[in-house]
Amino acid sequence: MDQYFEFFLGNFGPAIDRRDVPSEVLERFKGNLPDQMLAYWAEHGWCGYADGLFWTVNPMDYEPVLEGWLGNTPMVEEDALHIIARSAFGHLLFWSERTGFCLELFAPGSYVVKQETATQQRDLEFAARTFFSVQEKELFEFDGRFNLAKHRLGRLNRDELYGYACPGTRRFIRRGQAGEGQGRGASDLSGPTD
């Protein structure tokens, strides 16, 4: 483990709900994603961190999500993009094959933030190393609601997200990954936070 990932683990804690990355998936992305990113996948798998706040994911599982959000945009036409991580609330992190970590999409707010990107292959390898070390929990906690949702609804499984029942309410629901599945519970957040 290198110093960058070690720093990330120091902030986000140990992995939960680990899935090993199949060798055929590593082969599929070889030459498309940095070798360092693939080395992290091989060593650490896809899993959750910070008790389910932040998740590394199989980009192939998220291709329909990427298509749904960015399918007919110039971003997708100019470059191959992959969702490589997400938060408990559907904050998606995208990697560009040409430029590295390129954008974040916050699904609950329906907004996209473009990132400064690397431009050379050696920069992409360094960008893969620093991708994890620069993440901050506060960015994904949704104004402190993560611990409240986890307390009320329980820790997420790897295929679940927290979300609101409908716009304008203060009720969280627990849903399947990428909009699949049924809500598994709801909790009113307007009451005490015991």
Side-chain angles (χ1 to χ4, degrees), residues 160-173:
E160 296 177 316
L161 299 169
Y162 295 125
Y164 281 104
C166 62
T169 70
R170 290 179 51 95
R171 291 176 60 82
F172 275 115
I173 61 169

Side-chain angles (χ1 to χ4, degrees), residues 102-120:
C102 62
L103 66 97
E104 299 174 65
L105 187 146
F106 185 63
S110 298
Y111 64 84
V112 175
V113 177
K114 244 182 139 169
Q115 300 295 315
E116 294 293 322
T117 58
T119 56
Q120 298 178 357

Side-chain angles (χ1 to χ4, degrees), residues 62-79:
Y62 283 80
E63 286 172 355
V65 176
L66 189 149
E67 180 65 28
W69 279 98
L70 302 176
N72 293 323
T73 65
M75 292 174 143
V76 172
E77 294 171 10
E78 296 168 2
D79 195 3

Side-chain angles (χ1 to χ4, degrees), residues 3-192:
Q3 66 190 17
Y4 300 99
F5 208 86
E6 193 171 326
F7 183 79
F8 168 75
L9 290 177
N11 290 329
F12 280 75
I16 61 168
D17 207 2
R18 177 192 164 124
R19 267 192 322 166
D20 289 332
V21 178
S23 58
E24 56 270 13
V25 174
L26 295 172
E27 274 303 311
R28 181 194 184 279
F29 285 103
K30 190 166 182 60
N32 297 317
L33 294 179
D35 291 341
Q36 184 61 58
M37 184 69 69
L38 301 179
Y40 287 148
W41 287 0
E43 183 176 351
H44 303 283
W46 294 311
C47 47
Y49 297 94
D51 213 21
L53 175 65
F54 181 87
W55 296 81
T56 53
V57 299
N58 179 351
M60 294 186 303
D61 291 345
Y62 283 80
E63 286 172 355
V65 176
L66 189 149
E67 180 65 28
W69 279 98
L70 302 176
N72 293 323
T73 65
M75 292 174 143
V76 172
E77 294 171 10
E78 296 168 2
D79 195 3
L81 302 178
H82 307 284
I83 297 172
I84 60 168
R86 68 161 179 89
S87 78
F89 292 102
H91 186 151
L92 307 174
L93 305 174
F94 291 74
W95 191 273
S96 155
E97 289 185 8
R98 285 189 311 111
T99 61
F101 178 41
C102 62
L103 66 97
E104 299 174 65
L105 187 146
F106 185 63
S110 298
Y111 64 84
V112 175
V113 177
K114 244 182 139 169
Q115 300 295 315
E116 294 293 322
T117 58
T119 56
Q120 298 178 357
Q121 188 60 36
R122 69 180 166 75
D123 293 337
L124 288 174
E125 292 297 331
F126 182 71
R129 284 184 172 88
T130 60
F131 171 78
F132 290 99
S133 65
V134 301
Q135 301 306 326
E136 298 176 17
K137 285 185 196 177
E138 296 77 26
L139 180 64
F140 305 111
E141 290 179 337
F142 200 26
D143 288 332
R145 291 181 176 100
F146 173 73
N147 285 329
L148 180 56
K150 185 178 69 169
H151 174 75
R152 297 277 176 96
L153 298 171
R155 191 173 85 186
L156 294 171
N157 295 317
R158 71 170 160 250
D159 62 346
E160 296 177 316
L161 299 169
Y162 295 125
Y164 281 104
C166 62
T169 70
R170 290 179 51 95
R171 291 176 60 82
F172 275 115
I173 61 169
R174 196 168 166 174
R175 293 188 47 142
Q177 166 187 344
E180 298 172 1
Q182 301 291 323
R184 289 197 0 183
S187 180
D188 186 349
L189 297 183
S190 59

